[in-house]
Amino acid sequence: MNYQKYIIVAITFAILMAFSINQAYSRTVTIPVISVQPMEVAQARLVKGTRCTPMVTGYNNGRRGTEFGQVIGGVIGSMIGNSNSERRIGTAVGVIIGGRIGERHNTPPGVVYGRTHCGETYSNQF
């Protein structure tokens, strides 16, 4: 069976029905004008200003004291002992002890703001 003819006829019929329905419901209505009032529109003007924003210069993870203490402890611990194995053990112990001492000097974590950048801004005001 050849359904293509039926599909084309159905689509054509649907398009013709859509146009006829549109024509049946479209009307032109004329309404008389009783009065006219002017509209007032506020005009915007450009205003110059200044805005300063702090610039991020770093991030404090809250463990700077611990990390610094571990480095110093590792360096000092590596100087203790005569053989390589004694120096490795001294380094490990120095890192642990230095980290514990450095914990006392940790600061709360957060973003570190260093400089402030100021620039001109423009905004519309009515």
Side-chain angles (χ1 to χ4, degrees), residues 76-93:
I76 294 173
S78 69
M79 295 179 190
I80 299 172
N82 295 328
S83 67
N84 281 338
S85 64
E86 289 176 355
R87 288 184 180 149
R88 289 181 188 146
I89 293 170
T91 302
V93 172

Side-chain angles (χ1 to χ4, degrees), residues 12-104:
T12 308
F13 182 73
I15 291 172
L16 290 174
M17 288 299 294
F19 281 123
S20 65
I21 290 172
N22 189 21
Q23 291 291 333
Y25 288 108
S26 64
R27 294 183 186 161
T28 304
V29 178
T30 305
I31 300 173
V33 177
I34 298 172
S35 69
V36 178
Q37 296 178 355
M39 293 177 52
E40 294 182 20
V41 178
Q43 187 174 7
R45 61 188 172 112
L46 199 57
V47 176
K48 184 178 176 181
T50 331
R51 183 174 77 181
C52 296
T53 54
M55 296 181 66
V56 176
T57 57
Y59 179 76
N60 176 14
N61 63 358
R63 296 184 40 87
R64 286 187 178 169
T66 304
E67 294 165 353
F68 187 70
Q70 288 173 337
V71 170
I72 298 298
V75 169
I76 294 173
S78 69
M79 295 179 190
I80 299 172
N82 295 328
S83 67
N84 281 338
S85 64
E86 289 176 355
R87 288 184 180 149
R88 289 181 188 146
I89 293 170
T91 302
V93 172
V95 167
I96 293 170
I97 294 172
R100 293 292 180 166
I101 293 172
E103 280 181 0
R104 299 180 191 159

